[in-house]
Amino acid sequence: MKTPDPKDFFTQYLKRNQYRITPERFEILEAVLHCDGHFDADELFLRMKNAGSKVSRATVYNTLDKLTDCGIVARYRFGERLARYEIVFGSEHHHHIICRVCGKIEEFVDKRVERFARDAATSMKYGFQNTVLHIYGVCRDCQAGKEKNP
């Protein structure tokens, strides 16, 4: 089965929920689709401003909310005050391990996490929907740095 185009998917979402279909929303979607890894709303806004966009900060935040609601991006808080986003549309479900020292975020896939989550939901009589796992620790590089500079 062919994965739908994110622009078509977003258009359908906007129509279904009776939101206006505006060029600004699609300009933001286009910018999001060119993001690598995790980003925050202000980073996206500044990147767009520096590229000459006239989109407002509020429109960026509001559009990210809609992109999250429709499943094109996911919003996370990795132990920080600000939310970070990443594209999840068309990608394999994964989890994160975050370094408490340098803030590096690494992704991993482990089917055992999904099985455990499904089993836990079933035992609690819940209908399973999805799972998000964030593991916090100290990465190898930071551990090595600490050993060199006690």
Side-chain angles (χ1 to χ4, degrees):
M1 184 171 162
K2 183 181 171 192
T3 303
D5 177 70
K7 293 172 191 163
D8 293 340
F9 189 80
F10 191 44
T11 300
Q12 292 168 14
Y13 166 82
L14 294 171
K15 285 180 181 177
R16 188 171 54 253
N17 290 284
Q18 299 180 344
Y19 293 126
R20 290 184 21 224
I21 297 172
T22 65
E24 293 82 5
R25 287 181 173 156
F26 286 89
E27 182 182 354
I28 293 164
L29 173 59
E30 192 64 38
V32 164
L33 293 173
H34 285 92
C35 288
D36 288 326
H38 303 90
F39 61 93
D40 68 56
D42 286 334
E43 287 172 8
L44 179 64
F45 171 72
L46 291 174
R47 189 176 315 135
M48 291 180 72
K49 273 293 186 212
N50 290 338
S53 176
K54 304 291 186 217
V55 172
S56 73
R57 186 181 307 263
T59 301
V60 168
Y61 276 86
N62 291 332
T63 301
L64 283 172
D65 284 344
K66 287 173 179 45
L67 292 170
T68 301
D69 288 344
C70 77
I72 292 176
V73 300
R75 178 187 306 117
Y76 304 110
R77 292 196 188 276
F78 296 117
E80 306 166 306
R81 297 179 93 177
L82 60 93
R84 293 200 178 270
Y85 299 85
E86 74 173 331
I87 301 166
V88 293
F89 186 82
S91 64
E92 185 175 21
H93 185 70
H94 62 270
H95 304 284
H96 300 95
I97 186 162
I98 303 101
C99 180
R100 288 274 192 199
V101 177
C102 69
K104 177 170 51 175
I105 302 167
E106 295 187 76
E107 299 173 351
F108 68 95
V109 174
D110 190 328
K111 299 299 181 197
R112 294 173 299 175
V113 173
E114 304 309 315
R115 283 193 302 274
F116 173 77
R118 283 182 193 285
D119 290 348
T122 299
S123 72
M124 301 290 291
K125 311 256 187 285
Y126 274 68
F128 179 79
Q129 290 186 327
N130 80 4
T131 184
V132 176
L133 176 64
H134 296 156
I135 300 172
Y136 295 90
V138 179
C139 71
R140 184 177 305 158
D141 293 339
C142 289
Q143 289 177 49
K146 282 185 172 182
E147 291 173 6
K148 292 176 187 172
N149 301 315

